[in-house]
């Protein structure tokens, strides 16, 4: 697709320009400068979702030979394609890919292109309540995963995945990649016509089907006038790559993911290698900003504390940091060391227990037998990888539809463009890959039956399969987030009771398994005409959460005599909690 | 947009003037996938699936070469006539799979819509054409087709037996006839007339006439009797149970699934599945050896 103008030749000569020289296609489309270039599928966005869709379509011969496919990305994808880094450093954007996501990537030939050495399995999960310490733990074998030896999910750097997808695209040569080109506007010339995608380099692409894989602020979504509903959580996700000593021979290897539900949000420790792990710490926006401003060693101490100290001490430490920052100076490493030491003493933490952070300053010289509670919490973080600390806002966002209609016809959304989710379940990317797998299947179904891939008829099965599946996971995570953001006594009590009571229920385990992003029994529904109704783990999970609710209702029912709780859903707990607080306040005056 | 069907076609014995006026009035809505013709849109993938499957099957039976019905070129190079093509829903799909398609319809405004819609897709123009004419008129021309399709038309024509024989005569020896229509059963009345037109008003009232519905058994009976002008063999020579031999003809029920607003192609011989909408395929006997 060489442009006559020649002003962007550097653009076209990038090694990522991949062409298909398919004679049938060439005669079907003209590429004169005055006419827009016609494509059957134009994907906007070269993030994980867009690249995966391009790969999925390009990997199917029937599609590669019949469809002209383009992918537009604003940034320079050669940087992703050429990304390389030493085995001892990890990108801070890491996602846990479920077995289902892995199977999909394997199917399209992308998993082979991902550097497996840089990925790590999650074999076990430890999830506990920051206030009551009620705990659930489970392993891949326990929940009956088909291949439990592979773990529940694999932690993979987003860049490792994206690079793998680009390598695959480079090999299959079926997708025209237009990077370093921003979508400037999208227009339509009338009902039934194909959308025109105008790029900032004056190129115009005409799309039979326009796919928005363009993230949270999706320009495709704006064009299609698809509204979305959602809310910001007033919470940021702080990410970092952490160094720590390896587990000893007496312990399990570093393949356990840890997540502690603090009232400010969950903090997660996700293993990457024997001595490195990834942090995702969701916390209130001001706390996140303060943590990010800290010296790396202070942040490392805070991370250790957040997995170990009681909530009251954490509150104290946050305040200390916030206070000193408001006075214009940062808390020093030694100040923080003393604060934490003092806190540990006041809680009578045994210096030999795993809950003590004393080893941070005095690492043991000889590896001895680890304390008996060492696997209840992650290894002690010793330092953070340089420049790996970052944060991002957390949102709940779900569009009202995945396919555009009327003026916005011939558009479809995948990935973050359609939904953004709280990261506690590590599902963001997996949902996006689920979208992509399904959309690629629907496009293939349409193509083999002579359908128009941009038509409502071709896209309807995609919405039907994905919308509620995504919605279920999203609301489950949202509920879990809200359930855990209350510190009021009765709620914590109900919550811990809930956790303990529900510990009995396998389905709740499944619900929390979502946290690890695994997916025991979900199978890909094949291209069958009935749409292959598959009961996914998410159904189980959602059912499980209802049981959490139910358990809480039961607990509430018992206590209602004392506290006068109203019956009802989660809102009722919340309301009861604020009522209780009000009552206390009234008592005071 | 109301157009009285033009004079030529009124001479065609199977064209019912009020039917054609009815479809002409609705013609602007052909490509509104959620509107008046949504049922036909959602039926299209399954009709195409049936056509592809039959081609894969007959190729396997004849040459013992397995062709993949999921490949896109299954109809490559075949001459296909789509009788009563309406807005061209099926014609476009057939053309995308590589067939050379001629779509005809008794309504001039339907043909105008079909042409306009195809013009929006530059990949279609080389092997898809439309003509405002009737099957009877084509019979006077020498051209014959590998495949004749007529979907959801039979229940709208006058003199269906004449219509069937015209379609049959337009087919080359060993060629295929694909029909879809509605059976004359209380269930069909309930679903297609009472519910769709009167109660739910999904389809404009007057679209269907119960007495024009035709049962699968009547089609089978017709093709047991029917002889082509150039060949004395019947199209359906054997019946076992109530079903024709798989290599000669086939009836498959189409069942609407309101939960997913899609259609399901019922398995061969599924009990009761052909009591409402169904697909019918029959093959013209090959040349006499
Ligand atoms: C800063 C940040 C950190 C995150 N960290 C984690 C994490 O640690 N773990 C986790 O599980 N999830 C994390 N997430 C979420 C996760 O990254 C997303 O779920 C995932 O990236 C979604 O992929 P996507 O391809 O749908 O969208 P994105 O990755 O957002 O990709 C969208 C692409 O579209 C391109 N684009 C947008 N507009 C235009 C335009 N006008 N023209 C051309 N191109 C355009 C963008 O350049 C971008 O490449 C994080 C998200 C963010 C924003
Ligand atoms: C229900 S529509 C079906 C359209 C199309 N076959 C489809 O299934 O999408 C019936 C069509 O048949 C046309 N028609 C009815 N009688 C006809 C006849 N005798 N000859 C040609 N077309 C006819 C009508 O004009 C109308 O467009």
């Amino acid at each position: 697709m060489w442009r006559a103008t020649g002003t962007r030749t550097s653009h076209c000569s990038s090694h990522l320009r991949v062409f298909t020289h398919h004679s049938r296609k060439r005669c079907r489309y003209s590429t004169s400068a005055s006419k827009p270039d016609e494509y059957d599928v134009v994907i906007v966005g070269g993030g994980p979702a867009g690249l995966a869709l391009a790969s999925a379509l390009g990997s199917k011969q029937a599609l590669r030979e019949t469809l002209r496919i383009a992918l537009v990305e604003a940034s320079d994808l050669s940087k992703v394609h050429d990304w390389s880094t030493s085995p001892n450093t990890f990108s801070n954007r890491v996602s846990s890919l479920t077995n289902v996501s892995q199977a999909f990537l394997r199917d399209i030939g992308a998993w082979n292109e991902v550097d497996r050495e840089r990925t790590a399995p999650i074999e076990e999960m430890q999830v506990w309540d920051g206030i009551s310490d009620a705990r659930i733990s489970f392993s891949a074998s326990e929940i009956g995963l088909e291949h439990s030896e592979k773990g529940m999910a694999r932690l993979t750097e987003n860049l490792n995945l994206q690079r793998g997808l680009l390598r695959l695209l480079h090999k299959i040569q079926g997708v025209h990649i237009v990077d370093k080109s921003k979508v400037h506007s999208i227009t339509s010339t009338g009902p039934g016509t194909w959308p025109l995608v105008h790029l900032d380099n004056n190129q115009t692409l005409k799309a039979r089907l326009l796919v928005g894989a363009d993230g949270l602020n999706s320009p495709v979504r704006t064009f299609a006038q698809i509204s979305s509903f959602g809310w910001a959580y007033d919470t940021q996700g702080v990410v970092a790559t952490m160094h720590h000593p390896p587990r000893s021979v007496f312990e399990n290897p570093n393949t356990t993911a840890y997540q502690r539900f603090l009232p400010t949000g969950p903090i997660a420790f996700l293993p990457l290698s024997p001595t490195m792990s990834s942090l995702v710490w969701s916390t209130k926006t001001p706390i996140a900003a303060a943590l990010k401003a800290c010296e790396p060693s202070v942040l490392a101490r805070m991370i250790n504390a957040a997995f170990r100290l009681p909530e009251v001490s954490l509150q104290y430490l946050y305040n200390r940091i916030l206070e000193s920052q408001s006075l214009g100076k940062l808390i020093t490493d030694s100040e923080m060391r003393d604060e934490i030491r003092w806190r540990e003493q006041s809680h009578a933490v045994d210096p030999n227990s795993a809950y003590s952070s004393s080893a941070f300053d005095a690492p043991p010289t000889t590896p001895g037998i680890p304390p008996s509670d060492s696997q209840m919490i992650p290894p002690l973080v010793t330092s953070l990888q340089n420049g790996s600390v970052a944060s991002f806002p957390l949102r709940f966002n779900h569009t009202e539809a995945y396919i555009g209609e009327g003026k916005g016809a011939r558009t479809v959304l995948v990935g973050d463009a359609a939904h953004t989710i709280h990261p506690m379940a590590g599902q963001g990317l997996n949902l996006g890959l689920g979208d992509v797998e399904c959309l690629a299947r629907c496009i293939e179904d349409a193509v083999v039956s002579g359908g128009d891939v941009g038509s409502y008829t071709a896209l309807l099965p995609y919405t039907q399969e994905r919308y509620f599946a995504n919605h279920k996971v999203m609301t489950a995570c949202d509920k879990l987030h809200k359930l855990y953001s209350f510190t009021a006594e009765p709620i914590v009590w109900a919550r811990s009771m809930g956790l303990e009571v529900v510990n009995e229920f396998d389905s709740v385990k499944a619900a929390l398994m979502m946290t690890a992003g695994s997916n025991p029994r979900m199978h890909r529904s094949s291209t069958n005409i009935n749409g292959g109704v598959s009961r996914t783990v998410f159904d189980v999970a959602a059912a499980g959460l209802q049981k959490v609710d139910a358990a809480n209702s039961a607990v509430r029912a018992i206590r209602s005599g004392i506290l006068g709780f109203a019956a009802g859903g989660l809102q009722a707990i919340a309301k009861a909690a604020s009522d209780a607080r009000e009552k206390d306040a009234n008592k005071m005056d | 947009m109301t157009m009285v069907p033009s004079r030529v076609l009124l001479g065609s014995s199977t064209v019912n003037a009020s039917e054609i006026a009815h479809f002409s009035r609705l013609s602007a809505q052909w490509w509104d996938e959620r509107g008046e013709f949504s049922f036909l849109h959602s039926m299209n993938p399954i009709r195409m699936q049936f056509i592809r499957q039959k081609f894969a099957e007959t190729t396997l039976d004849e040459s013992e070469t397995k062709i993949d019905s999921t490949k896109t070129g299954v109809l490559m190079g075949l001459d296909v006539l789509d009788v009563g093509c309406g807005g061209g829903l099926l014609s476009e799909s057939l053309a995308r799979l590589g067939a050379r398609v001629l779509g005809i319809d008794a309504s001039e405004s339907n043909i105008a819509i079909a042409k306009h819609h195809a013009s929006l897709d530059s990949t279609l123009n080389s092997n898809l054409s439309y003509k405002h004419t009737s099957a009877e008129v084509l019979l006077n021309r020498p051209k014959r087709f590998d495949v004749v399709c007529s979907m959801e038309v039979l229940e709208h024509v006058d003199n269906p037996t004449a219509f069937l024989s015209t379609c049959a005569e337009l087919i080359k020896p060993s060629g295929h006839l694909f029909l879809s229509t509605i059976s004359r059963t209380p269930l069909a009345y309930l679903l297609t007339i009472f519910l769709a037109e009167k109660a739910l008003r999904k389809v404009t009232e007057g679209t269907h006439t119960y007495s024009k519905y035709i049962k699968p058994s009547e089609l089978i009976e017709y093709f047991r009797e029917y002889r082509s002008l150039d060949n004395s063999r019947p199209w359906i020579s054997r019946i076992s149970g109530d079903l024709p031999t798989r290599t000669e003809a086939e009836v498959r029920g189409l069942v609407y699934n309101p939960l997913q607003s899609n259609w399901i192609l019922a398995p061969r011989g599924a009990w009761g599945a052909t009591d409402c909408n169904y697909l019918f395929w029959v093959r013209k006997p090959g040349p006499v050896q």
Side-chain angles (χ1 to χ4, degrees), chain A residues 361-374:
Chain A
D361 296 295
T365 41
T366 49
I369 294 184
S372 58
D373 52 2
S374 73

Side-chain angles (χ1 to χ4, degrees), chain A residues 173-240:
Chain A
Q173 300 260 307
V175 176
H176 185 172
I177 295 178
V178 189
D179 65 340
K180 291 183 280 180
S181 306
K182 202 172 169 177
V183 172
H184 170 265
S185 62
I186 305 171
T187 58
S188 146
T189 50
T193 60
W194 297 8
L196 295 171
V197 182
H198 308 280
L199 308 186
D200 60 358
N201 62 7
N202 291 326
Q203 217 178 318
T204 299
L205 312 182
K206 190 173 173 183
R208 178 194 293 281
L209 171 62
L210 177 60
V211 182
D214 42 3
L216 182 61
N217 300 312
S218 168
V220 172
R221 190 180 64 216
T222 309
F223 162 72
Q225 297 186 320
I226 297 174
S227 48
S228 63
F229 61 94
W231 45 86
Y233 281 118
D234 178 32
T235 299
Q236 297 261 327
V238 179
V239 294

Side-chain angles (χ1 to χ4, degrees), chain B residues 14-15 20 23 30 47 84-86 105-106 110 151-153 156-157:
Chain B
T14 68
V15 176
I20 303 311
F23 281 107
W30 272 110
R47 309 194 287 209
C85 62
D105 200 285
N110 285 357
M151 302 294 186
E152 312 299 314
V153 179
H156 300 288
V157 303

Side-chain angles (χ1 to χ4, degrees), chain A residues 24 28-29 38 40 61-62 65-66 191-194 206 208 405 410 444-445 447-458 460 464 529-533, chain B residues 33-34 41-42 44-46 48-49 52 69-72 74 76 92-98 116-117 120-123 257 259-266:
Chain A
R24 183 160 152 242
R28 280 165 63 200
Y29 296 91
E38 274 185 29
D40 293 297
Q61 199 195 347
E65 287 173 357
T66 35
T193 60
W194 297 8
K206 190 173 173 183
R208 178 194 293 281
E405 287 184 62
R410 299 188 172 275
E444 187 179 24
D445 287 350
V447 165
V448 296
S449 61
D452 175 347
V453 299
S455 66
Y456 179 82
T457 305
L460 182 63
Q464 287 174 336
I529 49 161
N530 300 329
V533 191
Chain B
E33 293 174 74
R34 305 185 71 178
H41 280 279
S42 56
N44 221 26
I46 227 73
M48 291 302 296
Q49 182 194 335
R52 283 184 299 138
S69 72
T70 65
K71 282 278 161 54
T72 49
V74 275
M76 194 64 80
E92 286 196 7
S93 292
L94 293 164
R96 279 198 197 91
L97 293 193
H116 170 72
H117 193 266
L120 297 172
D121 184 342
S122 70
T123 61
N257 168 8
L259 289 180
Q260 294 192 306
S261 34
N262 63 1
W263 293 81
I264 293 161
L265 185 61

